[in-house]
Amino acid sequence: MTDTAHRTPRRPRHASRWPLLLLLLLLLGLCYAVAAVGAVATGDAGSTYESLDRPAWAPPPWLFGPVWTVLYATIAFSFWLVLRRCPLRDVRPEAFAWSAQLAFNLAWTPLFFAAGQYGLAFLDICFLLAALGATIVLFRRRSTTASLLLAPYALWAVYAAALNLAIWQLNT
């Protein structure tokens, strides 16, 4: 099914593009603020990560920054695609699910790195995956592209959950 085949009508073409551009910038700013808060809350996550016993399939520390830079952009852009089609009042379940996955995302880094609570971090990432799954399903009703943009994030989050679990087991 293509985006044009969905039940949700597009906004009128005559509407100004500036509010949509500002909305995209706001969503990007919000997602990158989550990244910044996580970075500030953890201090030197790279050193902590390197000091942990990790499975052989764990990625190198330098990989996380570039991956998350791209993923946060797709997280923002996917919600923008939904909001571009419908006003916020019409997509409250989608907005709630999207906000929930972002909140769980925000909580994970301090739990794992700052607090060293690998078990709670694993529980958090499980909740993140549930919220992300709901977000993908709900976004699919509004925009196939928006839901597909979240697929790399979902795959990375599943990989991160497995890594979190392995690190928890290896370090307790």
Side-chain angles (χ1 to χ4, degrees), residues 83-157:
L83 291 174
R84 191 176 93 150
R85 293 177 170 273
C86 307
L88 184 58
R89 71 179 174 275
D90 293 342
V91 291
R92 286 194 177 132
E94 291 87 342
F96 178 80
W98 185 86
S99 299
Q101 65 76 27
L102 199 59
F104 288 123
N105 184 309
L106 174 63
W108 184 87
T109 305
L111 281 171
F112 188 90
F113 288 108
Q117 295 294 318
Y118 309 127
L120 286 177
F122 180 70
L123 180 62
D124 176 83
I125 206 168
C126 290
F127 287 135
L128 182 152
L129 286 167
L132 180 55
T135 303
I136 290 169
V137 168
L138 291 167
F139 277 20
R140 175 80 170 74
R141 298 183 314 168
R142 305 295 181 173
S143 166
T144 302
T145 304
S147 64
L148 289 174
L149 275 171
L150 293 174
Y153 176 32
L155 291 172
W156 183 260

Side-chain angles (χ1 to χ4, degrees), residues 29-42 72 106:
L30 177 62
C31 287
Y32 287 119
V34 165
V37 168
V40 169
T42 60
Y72 280 122
L106 174 63

